PDB file of all heavy atoms in Angstrom:
ATOM      1  N   ASP P   1      24.380  -3.791  15.594  1.00 98.00           N
ATOM      2  CA  ASP P   1      25.178  -4.662  16.555  1.00 98.00           C
ATOM      3  C   ASP P   1      24.807  -6.184  16.320  1.00 98.00           C
ATOM      4  O   ASP P   1      25.634  -7.057  16.560  1.00 98.00           O
ATOM      5  CB  ASP P   1      24.840  -4.326  18.008  1.00 98.00           C
ATOM      6  CG  ASP P   1      25.717  -3.246  18.506  1.00 98.00           C
ATOM      7  OD1 ASP P   1      26.690  -2.940  17.838  1.00 98.00           O
ATOM      8  OD2 ASP P   1      25.452  -2.711  19.659  1.00 98.00           O
ATOM      9  N   ASP P   2      23.613  -6.422  15.946  1.00 98.00           N
ATOM     10  CA  ASP P   2      23.157  -7.778  15.465  1.00 98.00           C
ATOM     11  C   ASP P   2      21.830  -7.604  14.668  1.00 98.00           C
ATOM     12  O   ASP P   2      21.515  -6.425  14.331  1.00 98.00           O
ATOM     13  CB  ASP P   2      22.800  -8.631  16.717  1.00 98.00           C
ATOM     14  CG  ASP P   2      21.794  -8.036  17.621  1.00 98.00           C
ATOM     15  OD1 ASP P   2      20.647  -7.701  17.186  1.00 98.00           O
ATOM     16  OD2 ASP P   2      22.052  -7.850  18.855  1.00 98.00           O
ATOM     17  N   CYS P   3      21.300  -8.662  14.174  1.00 98.00           N
ATOM     18  CA  CYS P   3      20.185  -8.592  13.143  1.00 98.00           C
ATOM     19  C   CYS P   3      18.984  -7.918  13.717  1.00 98.00           C
ATOM     20  O   CYS P   3      18.070  -7.506  12.858  1.00 98.00           O
ATOM     21  CB  CYS P   3      19.865 -10.012  12.648  1.00 98.00           C
ATOM     22  SG  CYS P   3      19.127 -11.080  13.926  1.00 98.00           S
ATOM     23  N   ARG P   4      18.853  -7.620  14.978  1.00 97.00           N
ATOM     24  CA  ARG P   4      17.712  -6.923  15.497  1.00 97.00           C
ATOM     25  C   ARG P   4      17.993  -5.519  16.091  1.00 97.00           C
ATOM     26  O   ARG P   4      17.089  -4.826  16.466  1.00 97.00           O
ATOM     27  CB  ARG P   4      17.068  -7.760  16.705  1.00 97.00           C
ATOM     28  CG  ARG P   4      16.400  -9.062  16.216  1.00 97.00           C
ATOM     29  CD  ARG P   4      15.981  -9.856  17.441  1.00 97.00           C
ATOM     30  NE  ARG P   4      15.251 -11.086  17.058  1.00 97.00           N
ATOM     31  CZ  ARG P   4      15.851 -12.190  16.749  1.00 97.00           C
ATOM     32  NH1 ARG P   4      17.146 -12.244  16.783  1.00 97.00           N
ATOM     33  NH2 ARG P   4      15.130 -13.276  16.376  1.00 97.00           N
ATOM     34  N   THR P   5      19.289  -5.145  16.117  1.00 98.00           N
ATOM     35  CA  THR P   5      19.660  -3.940  16.815  1.00 98.00           C
ATOM     36  C   THR P   5      20.403  -2.974  15.907  1.00 98.00           C
ATOM     37  O   THR P   5      21.626  -3.146  15.652  1.00 98.00           O
ATOM     38  CB  THR P   5      20.533  -4.313  18.060  1.00 98.00           C
ATOM     39  OG1 THR P   5      19.895  -5.332  18.817  1.00 98.00           O
ATOM     40  CG2 THR P   5      20.726  -3.032  18.905  1.00 98.00           C
ATOM     41  N   ARG P   6      19.728  -2.000  15.425  1.00 98.00           N
ATOM     42  CA  ARG P   6      20.368  -0.917  14.668  1.00 98.00           C
ATOM     43  C   ARG P   6      20.951   0.157  15.608  1.00 98.00           C
ATOM     44  O   ARG P   6      20.394   0.623  16.563  1.00 98.00           O
ATOM     45  CB  ARG P   6      19.448  -0.267  13.719  1.00 98.00           C
ATOM     46  CG  ARG P   6      19.970   0.951  12.925  1.00 98.00           C
ATOM     47  CD  ARG P   6      19.107   1.254  11.658  1.00 98.00           C
ATOM     48  NE  ARG P   6      17.726   1.241  11.878  1.00 98.00           N
ATOM     49  CZ  ARG P   6      17.005   2.203  12.347  1.00 98.00           C
ATOM     50  NH1 ARG P   6      17.629   3.402  12.692  1.00 98.00           N
ATOM     51  NH2 ARG P   6      15.735   2.164  12.479  1.00 98.00           N
ATOM     52  N   VAL P   7      22.221   0.571  15.427  1.00 98.00           N
ATOM     53  CA  VAL P   7      22.896   1.428  16.253  1.00 98.00           C
ATOM     54  C   VAL P   7      23.216   2.821  15.620  1.00 98.00           C
ATOM     55  O   VAL P   7      23.754   3.732  16.313  1.00 98.00           O
ATOM     56  CB  VAL P   7      24.240   0.798  16.782  1.00 98.00           C
ATOM     57  CG1 VAL P   7      23.919  -0.407  17.722  1.00 98.00           C
ATOM     58  CG2 VAL P   7      25.151   0.410  15.718  1.00 98.00           C
ATOM     59  N   THR P   8      22.931   2.962  14.361  1.00 97.00           N
ATOM     60  CA  THR P   8      23.017   4.281  13.754  1.00 97.00           C
ATOM     61  C   THR P   8      21.691   4.593  12.996  1.00 97.00           C
ATOM     62  O   THR P   8      21.013   3.736  12.624  1.00 97.00           O
ATOM     63  CB  THR P   8      24.255   4.453  12.785  1.00 97.00           C
ATOM     64  OG1 THR P   8      24.021   3.557  11.695  1.00 97.00           O
ATOM     65  CG2 THR P   8      25.550   4.082  13.443  1.00 97.00           C
ATOM     66  N   GLU P   9      21.510   5.925  12.831  1.00 97.00           N
ATOM     67  CA  GLU P   9      20.362   6.336  12.004  1.00 97.00           C
ATOM     68  C   GLU P   9      20.650   6.029  10.513  1.00 97.00           C
ATOM     69  O   GLU P   9      21.797   6.095  10.156  1.00 97.00           O
ATOM     70  CB  GLU P   9      20.005   7.743  12.151  1.00 97.00           C
ATOM     71  CG  GLU P   9      19.421   8.104  13.594  1.00 97.00           C
ATOM     72  CD  GLU P   9      18.124   7.373  13.782  1.00 97.00           C
ATOM     73  OE1 GLU P   9      17.287   7.439  12.924  1.00 97.00           O
ATOM     74  OE2 GLU P   9      18.064   6.886  14.962  1.00 97.00           O
ATOM     75  N   PRO P  10      19.685   5.723   9.740  1.00 97.00           N
ATOM     76  CA  PRO P  10      19.895   5.536   8.256  1.00 97.00           C
ATOM     77  C   PRO P  10      20.538   6.773   7.705  1.00 97.00           C
ATOM     78  O   PRO P  10      20.139   7.881   8.015  1.00 97.00           O
ATOM     79  CB  PRO P  10      18.525   5.292   7.673  1.00 97.00           C
ATOM     80  CG  PRO P  10      17.735   4.733   8.827  1.00 97.00           C
ATOM     81  CD  PRO P  10      18.257   5.477  10.045  1.00 97.00           C
ATOM     82  N   ALA P  11      21.421   6.611   6.752  1.00 97.00           N
ATOM     83  CA  ALA P  11      22.153   7.749   6.095  1.00 97.00           C
ATOM     84  C   ALA P  11      22.397   7.423   4.635  1.00 97.00           C
ATOM     85  O   ALA P  11      22.210   6.238   4.189  1.00 97.00           O
ATOM     86  CB  ALA P  11      23.505   8.026   6.854  1.00 97.00           C
ATOM     87  N   VAL P  12      22.637   8.463   3.907  1.00 97.00           N
ATOM     88  CA  VAL P  12      23.062   8.262   2.461  1.00 97.00           C
ATOM     89  C   VAL P  12      24.479   8.944   2.252  1.00 97.00           C
ATOM     90  O   VAL P  12      24.626  10.044   2.690  1.00 97.00           O
ATOM     91  CB  VAL P  12      21.968   8.862   1.554  1.00 97.00           C
ATOM     92  CG1 VAL P  12      21.661  10.397   1.759  1.00 97.00           C
ATOM     93  CG2 VAL P  12      22.312   8.682   0.031  1.00 97.00           C
ATOM     94  N   ASP P  13      25.369   8.179   1.671  1.00 97.00           N
ATOM     95  CA  ASP P  13      26.718   8.640   1.441  1.00 97.00           C
ATOM     96  C   ASP P  13      27.349   8.024   0.304  1.00 97.00           C
ATOM     97  O   ASP P  13      26.954   6.856  -0.093  1.00 97.00           O
ATOM     98  CB  ASP P  13      27.552   8.426   2.695  1.00 97.00           C
ATOM     99  CG  ASP P  13      27.244   9.245   3.983  1.00 97.00           C
ATOM    100  OD1 ASP P  13      27.513  10.440   3.918  1.00 97.00           O
ATOM    101  OD2 ASP P  13      26.627   8.735   4.870  1.00 97.00           O
ATOM    102  N   ARG P  14      28.448   8.512  -0.157  1.00 97.00           N
ATOM    103  CA  ARG P  14      29.291   7.870  -1.088  1.00 97.00           C
ATOM    104  C   ARG P  14      30.078   6.821  -0.368  1.00 97.00           C
ATOM    105  O   ARG P  14      30.579   7.014   0.752  1.00 97.00           O
ATOM    106  CB  ARG P  14      30.192   8.818  -1.816  1.00 97.00           C
ATOM    107  CG  ARG P  14      29.528   9.755  -2.769  1.00 97.00           C
ATOM    108  CD  ARG P  14      30.533  10.678  -3.486  1.00 97.00           C
ATOM    109  NE  ARG P  14      29.906  11.456  -4.537  1.00 97.00           N
ATOM    110  CZ  ARG P  14      29.729  11.077  -5.752  1.00 97.00           C
ATOM    111  NH1 ARG P  14      30.135   9.957  -6.125  1.00 97.00           N
ATOM    112  NH2 ARG P  14      29.088  11.909  -6.624  1.00 97.00           N
ATOM    113  N   PRO P  15      30.197   5.633  -0.877  1.00 97.00           N
ATOM    114  CA  PRO P  15      30.821   4.468  -0.212  1.00 97.00           C
ATOM    115  C   PRO P  15      32.299   4.864   0.248  1.00 97.00           C
ATOM    116  O   PRO P  15      32.682   4.607   1.431  1.00 97.00           O
ATOM    117  CB  PRO P  15      30.953   3.366  -1.255  1.00 97.00           C
ATOM    118  CG  PRO P  15      29.698   3.623  -2.083  1.00 97.00           C
ATOM    119  CD  PRO P  15      29.585   5.075  -2.204  1.00 97.00           C
ATOM    120  N   ALA P  16      32.977   5.591  -0.625  1.00 97.00           N
ATOM    121  CA  ALA P  16      34.382   6.009  -0.203  1.00 97.00           C
ATOM    122  C   ALA P  16      34.469   6.885   0.988  1.00 97.00           C
ATOM    123  O   ALA P  16      35.364   6.807   1.837  1.00 97.00           O
ATOM    124  CB  ALA P  16      35.084   6.602  -1.364  1.00 97.00           C
ATOM    125  N   ASP P  17      33.370   7.600   1.241  1.00 97.00           N
ATOM    126  CA  ASP P  17      33.319   8.553   2.367  1.00 97.00           C
ATOM    127  C   ASP P  17      33.098   7.823   3.720  1.00 97.00           C
ATOM    128  O   ASP P  17      33.268   8.431   4.778  1.00 97.00           O
ATOM    129  CB  ASP P  17      32.250   9.602   2.130  1.00 97.00           C
ATOM    130  CG  ASP P  17      32.598  10.570   0.951  1.00 97.00           C
ATOM    131  OD1 ASP P  17      33.829  10.651   0.598  1.00 97.00           O
ATOM    132  OD2 ASP P  17      31.674  11.210   0.453  1.00 97.00           O
ATOM    133  N   ILE P  18      32.498   6.617   3.652  1.00 98.00           N
ATOM    134  CA  ILE P  18      32.262   5.854   4.954  1.00 98.00           C
ATOM    135  C   ILE P  18      33.204   4.741   5.093  1.00 98.00           C
ATOM    136  O   ILE P  18      32.973   3.912   5.992  1.00 98.00           O
ATOM    137  CB  ILE P  18      30.744   5.436   4.986  1.00 98.00           C
ATOM    138  CG1 ILE P  18      30.457   4.508   3.806  1.00 98.00           C
ATOM    139  CG2 ILE P  18      29.903   6.707   4.960  1.00 98.00           C
ATOM    140  CD1 ILE P  18      29.114   3.827   3.917  1.00 98.00           C
ATOM    141  N   ALA P  19      34.180   4.566   4.250  1.00 98.00           N
ATOM    142  CA  ALA P  19      35.034   3.395   4.179  1.00 98.00           C
ATOM    143  C   ALA P  19      35.709   3.071   5.599  1.00 98.00           C
ATOM    144  O   ALA P  19      35.734   2.013   6.113  1.00 98.00           O
ATOM    145  CB  ALA P  19      36.194   3.549   3.183  1.00 98.00           C
ATOM    146  N   GLU P  20      36.129   4.172   6.300  1.00 97.00           N
ATOM    147  CA  GLU P  20      36.742   4.005   7.602  1.00 97.00           C
ATOM    148  C   GLU P  20      35.761   3.491   8.610  1.00 97.00           C
ATOM    149  O   GLU P  20      36.062   2.712   9.533  1.00 97.00           O
ATOM    150  CB  GLU P  20      37.397   5.215   8.069  1.00 97.00           C
ATOM    151  CG  GLU P  20      38.666   5.629   7.240  1.00 97.00           C
ATOM    152  CD  GLU P  20      39.347   6.833   7.800  1.00 97.00           C
ATOM    153  OE1 GLU P  20      38.990   7.344   8.901  1.00 97.00           O
ATOM    154  OE2 GLU P  20      40.385   7.276   7.226  1.00 97.00           O
ATOM    155  N   ARG P  21      34.471   4.026   8.534  1.00 97.00           N
ATOM    156  CA  ARG P  21      33.458   3.683   9.531  1.00 97.00           C
ATOM    157  C   ARG P  21      32.910   2.316   9.359  1.00 97.00           C
ATOM    158  O   ARG P  21      32.352   1.693  10.331  1.00 97.00           O
ATOM    159  CB  ARG P  21      32.345   4.715   9.447  1.00 97.00           C
ATOM    160  CG  ARG P  21      32.627   6.001   9.999  1.00 97.00           C
ATOM    161  CD  ARG P  21      31.466   7.021   9.926  1.00 97.00           C
ATOM    162  NE  ARG P  21      31.373   7.623   8.612  1.00 97.00           N
ATOM    163  CZ  ARG P  21      30.404   8.450   8.298  1.00 97.00           C
ATOM    164  NH1 ARG P  21      29.399   8.602   9.076  1.00 97.00           N
ATOM    165  NH2 ARG P  21      30.461   9.015   7.015  1.00 97.00           N
ATOM    166  N   VAL P  22      33.085   1.687   8.236  1.00 97.00           N
ATOM    167  CA  VAL P  22      32.542   0.322   7.968  1.00 97.00           C
ATOM    168  C   VAL P  22      33.698  -0.720   7.839  1.00 97.00           C
ATOM    169  O   VAL P  22      33.372  -1.882   7.600  1.00 97.00           O
ATOM    170  CB  VAL P  22      31.678   0.275   6.750  1.00 97.00           C
ATOM    171  CG1 VAL P  22      30.501   1.275   6.931  1.00 97.00           C
ATOM    172  CG2 VAL P  22      32.370   0.545   5.478  1.00 97.00           C
ATOM    173  N   ALA P  23      34.922  -0.283   7.938  1.00 97.00           N
ATOM    174  CA  ALA P  23      36.062  -1.193   7.667  1.00 97.00           C
ATOM    175  C   ALA P  23      35.967  -2.374   8.614  1.00 97.00           C
ATOM    176  O   ALA P  23      35.748  -2.317   9.831  1.00 97.00           O
ATOM    177  CB  ALA P  23      37.330  -0.410   7.948  1.00 97.00           C
ATOM    178  N   GLY P  24      36.214  -3.511   8.024  1.00 96.00           N
ATOM    179  CA  GLY P  24      36.297  -4.777   8.757  1.00 96.00           C
ATOM    180  C   GLY P  24      34.896  -5.370   9.141  1.00 96.00           C
ATOM    181  O   GLY P  24      34.888  -6.482   9.770  1.00 96.00           O
ATOM    182  N   LEU P  25      33.859  -4.796   8.745  1.00 98.00           N
ATOM    183  CA  LEU P  25      32.552  -5.300   9.055  1.00 98.00           C
ATOM    184  C   LEU P  25      31.887  -6.022   7.903  1.00 98.00           C
ATOM    185  O   LEU P  25      31.974  -5.581   6.727  1.00 98.00           O
ATOM    186  CB  LEU P  25      31.602  -4.105   9.465  1.00 98.00           C
ATOM    187  CG  LEU P  25      31.882  -3.299  10.747  1.00 98.00           C
ATOM    188  CD1 LEU P  25      30.990  -2.174  10.906  1.00 98.00           C
ATOM    189  CD2 LEU P  25      31.962  -4.229  12.005  1.00 98.00           C
ATOM    190  N   PRO P  26      31.222  -7.193   8.172  1.00 98.00           N
ATOM    191  CA  PRO P  26      30.481  -7.697   7.063  1.00 98.00           C
ATOM    192  C   PRO P  26      29.322  -6.754   6.707  1.00 98.00           C
ATOM    193  O   PRO P  26      28.946  -5.874   7.402  1.00 98.00           O
ATOM    194  CB  PRO P  26      29.793  -8.974   7.811  1.00 98.00           C
ATOM    195  CG  PRO P  26      30.642  -9.213   9.077  1.00 98.00           C
ATOM    196  CD  PRO P  26      31.108  -7.817   9.416  1.00 98.00           C
ATOM    197  N   ALA P  27      28.816  -6.928   5.512  1.00 98.00           N
ATOM    198  CA  ALA P  27      27.787  -6.149   4.974  1.00 98.00           C
ATOM    199  C   ALA P  27      26.813  -6.911   4.105  1.00 98.00           C
ATOM    200  O   ALA P  27      27.115  -7.841   3.452  1.00 98.00           O
ATOM    201  CB  ALA P  27      28.349  -4.987   4.112  1.00 98.00           C
ATOM    202  N   VAL P  28      25.496  -6.540   4.244  1.00 98.00           N
ATOM    203  CA  VAL P  28      24.449  -7.126   3.414  1.00 98.00           C
ATOM    204  C   VAL P  28      23.735  -6.022   2.569  1.00 98.00           C
ATOM    205  O   VAL P  28      23.822  -4.845   2.891  1.00 98.00           O
ATOM    206  CB  VAL P  28      23.449  -7.933   4.252  1.00 98.00           C
ATOM    207  CG1 VAL P  28      24.168  -8.973   5.126  1.00 98.00           C
ATOM    208  CG2 VAL P  28      22.655  -6.959   5.228  1.00 98.00           C
ATOM    209  N   GLY P  29      23.031  -6.489   1.559  1.00 98.00           N
ATOM    210  CA  GLY P  29      22.325  -5.581   0.679  1.00 98.00           C
ATOM    211  C   GLY P  29      23.064  -5.368  -0.707  1.00 98.00           C
ATOM    212  O   GLY P  29      24.196  -5.647  -0.870  1.00 98.00           O
ATOM    213  N   ALA P  30      22.162  -4.851  -1.636  1.00 97.00           N
ATOM    214  CA  ALA P  30      22.744  -4.636  -2.943  1.00 97.00           C
ATOM    215  C   ALA P  30      23.905  -3.597  -3.028  1.00 97.00           C
ATOM    216  O   ALA P  30      24.699  -3.740  -3.955  1.00 97.00           O
ATOM    217  CB  ALA P  30      21.614  -4.210  -3.895  1.00 97.00           C
ATOM    218  N   GLY P  31      23.860  -2.657  -2.174  1.00 97.00           N
ATOM    219  CA  GLY P  31      24.954  -1.673  -2.160  1.00 97.00           C
ATOM    220  C   GLY P  31      26.224  -2.236  -1.786  1.00 97.00           C
ATOM    221  O   GLY P  31      27.324  -1.876  -2.340  1.00 97.00           O
ATOM    222  N   ALA P  32      26.273  -3.304  -0.886  1.00 97.00           N
ATOM    223  CA  ALA P  32      27.505  -4.004  -0.495  1.00 97.00           C
ATOM    224  C   ALA P  32      28.008  -4.731  -1.695  1.00 97.00           C
ATOM    225  O   ALA P  32      29.261  -4.759  -1.917  1.00 97.00           O
ATOM    226  CB  ALA P  32      27.215  -4.826   0.703  1.00 97.00           C
ATOM    227  N   ARG P  33      27.153  -5.360  -2.498  1.00 97.00           N
ATOM    228  CA  ARG P  33      27.637  -6.078  -3.703  1.00 97.00           C
ATOM    229  C   ARG P  33      28.194  -5.131  -4.714  1.00 97.00           C
ATOM    230  O   ARG P  33      29.023  -5.555  -5.407  1.00 97.00           O
ATOM    231  CB  ARG P  33      26.410  -6.886  -4.234  1.00 97.00           C
ATOM    232  CG  ARG P  33      25.854  -7.968  -3.280  1.00 97.00           C
ATOM    233  CD  ARG P  33      26.864  -9.082  -3.005  1.00 97.00           C
ATOM    234  NE  ARG P  33      26.267 -10.081  -2.040  1.00 97.00           N
ATOM    235  CZ  ARG P  33      25.849 -11.233  -2.413  1.00 97.00           C
ATOM    236  NH1 ARG P  33      25.900 -11.595  -3.626  1.00 97.00           N
ATOM    237  NH2 ARG P  33      25.352 -12.113  -1.487  1.00 97.00           N
ATOM    238  N   LEU P  34      27.562  -4.014  -4.850  1.00 97.00           N
ATOM    239  CA  LEU P  34      27.930  -3.059  -5.881  1.00 97.00           C
ATOM    240  C   LEU P  34      29.260  -2.380  -5.609  1.00 97.00           C
ATOM    241  O   LEU P  34      29.958  -2.122  -6.510  1.00 97.00           O
ATOM    242  CB  LEU P  34      26.826  -1.943  -5.977  1.00 97.00           C
ATOM    243  CG  LEU P  34      26.863  -1.037  -7.216  1.00 97.00           C
ATOM    244  CD1 LEU P  34      26.767  -1.886  -8.492  1.00 97.00           C
ATOM    245  CD2 LEU P  34      25.694  -0.062  -7.114  1.00 97.00           C
ATOM    246  N   TYR P  35      29.623  -2.200  -4.337  1.00 98.00           N
ATOM    247  CA  TYR P  35      30.758  -1.491  -4.032  1.00 98.00           C
ATOM    248  C   TYR P  35      31.744  -2.448  -3.187  1.00 98.00           C
ATOM    249  O   TYR P  35      32.051  -2.154  -2.042  1.00 98.00           O
ATOM    250  CB  TYR P  35      30.517  -0.146  -3.284  1.00 98.00           C
ATOM    251  CG  TYR P  35      29.736   0.793  -4.112  1.00 98.00           C
ATOM    252  CD1 TYR P  35      28.371   0.861  -3.897  1.00 98.00           C
ATOM    253  CD2 TYR P  35      30.233   1.503  -5.176  1.00 98.00           C
ATOM    254  CE1 TYR P  35      27.614   1.723  -4.714  1.00 98.00           C
ATOM    255  CE2 TYR P  35      29.548   2.297  -5.909  1.00 98.00           C
ATOM    256  CZ  TYR P  35      28.153   2.467  -5.728  1.00 98.00           C
ATOM    257  OH  TYR P  35      27.420   3.340  -6.500  1.00 98.00           O
ATOM    258  N   GLY P  36      32.188  -3.472  -3.812  1.00 96.00           N
ATOM    259  CA  GLY P  36      33.010  -4.471  -3.111  1.00 96.00           C
ATOM    260  C   GLY P  36      34.343  -3.958  -2.634  1.00 96.00           C
ATOM    261  O   GLY P  36      34.868  -4.519  -1.592  1.00 96.00           O
ATOM    262  N   GLU P  37      34.874  -2.838  -3.192  1.00 97.00           N
ATOM    263  CA  GLU P  37      36.121  -2.308  -2.683  1.00 97.00           C
ATOM    264  C   GLU P  37      35.951  -1.727  -1.241  1.00 97.00           C
ATOM    265  O   GLU P  37      36.959  -1.655  -0.536  1.00 97.00           O
ATOM    266  CB  GLU P  37      36.634  -1.285  -3.658  1.00 97.00           C
ATOM    267  CG  GLU P  37      35.852   0.011  -3.691  1.00 97.00           C
ATOM    268  CD  GLU P  37      34.617  -0.085  -4.608  1.00 97.00           C
ATOM    269  OE1 GLU P  37      34.322  -1.163  -5.025  1.00 97.00           O
ATOM    270  OE2 GLU P  37      34.025   1.038  -4.858  1.00 97.00           O
ATOM    271  N   VAL P  38      34.734  -1.319  -0.891  1.00 98.00           N
ATOM    272  CA  VAL P  38      34.437  -0.714   0.429  1.00 98.00           C
ATOM    273  C   VAL P  38      33.891  -1.843   1.304  1.00 98.00           C
ATOM    274  O   VAL P  38      34.076  -1.823   2.573  1.00 98.00           O
ATOM    275  CB  VAL P  38      33.593   0.430   0.302  1.00 98.00           C
ATOM    276  CG1 VAL P  38      33.137   0.962   1.740  1.00 98.00           C
ATOM    277  CG2 VAL P  38      34.228   1.612  -0.460  1.00 98.00           C
ATOM    278  N   PHE P  39      33.123  -2.730   0.713  1.00 98.00           N
ATOM    279  CA  PHE P  39      32.459  -3.793   1.510  1.00 98.00           C
ATOM    280  C   PHE P  39      32.933  -5.186   0.958  1.00 98.00           C
ATOM    281  O   PHE P  39      32.210  -5.873   0.338  1.00 98.00           O
ATOM    282  CB  PHE P  39      30.925  -3.745   1.327  1.00 98.00           C
ATOM    283  CG  PHE P  39      30.392  -2.446   1.626  1.00 98.00           C
ATOM    284  CD1 PHE P  39      29.997  -1.449   0.652  1.00 98.00           C
ATOM    285  CD2 PHE P  39      30.190  -2.005   2.970  1.00 98.00           C
ATOM    286  CE1 PHE P  39      29.400  -0.244   1.025  1.00 98.00           C
ATOM    287  CE2 PHE P  39      29.555  -0.796   3.289  1.00 98.00           C
ATOM    288  CZ  PHE P  39      29.229   0.153   2.315  1.00 98.00           C
ATOM    289  N   PRO P  40      34.179  -5.549   1.292  1.00 97.00           N
ATOM    290  CA  PRO P  40      34.713  -6.743   0.689  1.00 97.00           C
ATOM    291  C   PRO P  40      34.076  -8.043   1.290  1.00 97.00           C
ATOM    292  O   PRO P  40      34.111  -9.148   0.648  1.00 97.00           O
ATOM    293  CB  PRO P  40      36.226  -6.763   1.171  1.00 97.00           C
ATOM    294  CG  PRO P  40      36.292  -5.826   2.338  1.00 97.00           C
ATOM    295  CD  PRO P  40      35.189  -4.815   2.128  1.00 97.00           C
ATOM    296  N   ASP P  41      33.480  -7.906   2.464  1.00 98.00           N
ATOM    297  CA  ASP P  41      32.765  -9.129   3.060  1.00 98.00           C
ATOM    298  C   ASP P  41      31.299  -9.006   2.868  1.00 98.00           C
ATOM    299  O   ASP P  41      30.562  -8.865   3.909  1.00 98.00           O
ATOM    300  CB  ASP P  41      33.191  -9.204   4.570  1.00 98.00           C
ATOM    301  CG  ASP P  41      32.691 -10.435   5.197  1.00 98.00           C
ATOM    302  OD1 ASP P  41      32.179 -11.333   4.431  1.00 98.00           O
ATOM    303  OD2 ASP P  41      32.820 -10.634   6.437  1.00 98.00           O
ATOM    304  N   ALA P  42      30.830  -9.093   1.633  1.00 97.00           N
ATOM    305  CA  ALA P  42      29.422  -8.920   1.345  1.00 97.00           C
ATOM    306  C   ALA P  42      28.721 -10.229   1.475  1.00 97.00           C
ATOM    307  O   ALA P  42      29.182 -11.329   1.093  1.00 97.00           O
ATOM    308  CB  ALA P  42      29.212  -8.425  -0.099  1.00 97.00           C
TER     309      ALA P  42
END
């Protein structure tokens, strides 16, 4: 929800499988840079 508040448990998934759940959200981290088609706002 913000930089101090995690709202989901950590998970491991293929980016395409979570595309709908992360759509429209900014993303940070190397995974966001690697899969820009799912995380366009890295």
Side-chain angles (χ1 to χ4, degrees):
D1 273 349
D2 57 54
C3 64
R4 293 176 175 82
T5 310
R6 177 161 44 84
V7 294
T8 66
E9 291 299 315
V12 58
D13 289 287
R14 288 182 177 271
D17 293 341
I18 61 172
E20 291 186 4
R21 284 181 277 175
V22 302
L25 295 175
V28 303
R33 299 294 179 103
L34 191 59
Y35 299 101
E37 69 279 6
V38 175
F39 306 102
D41 187 5

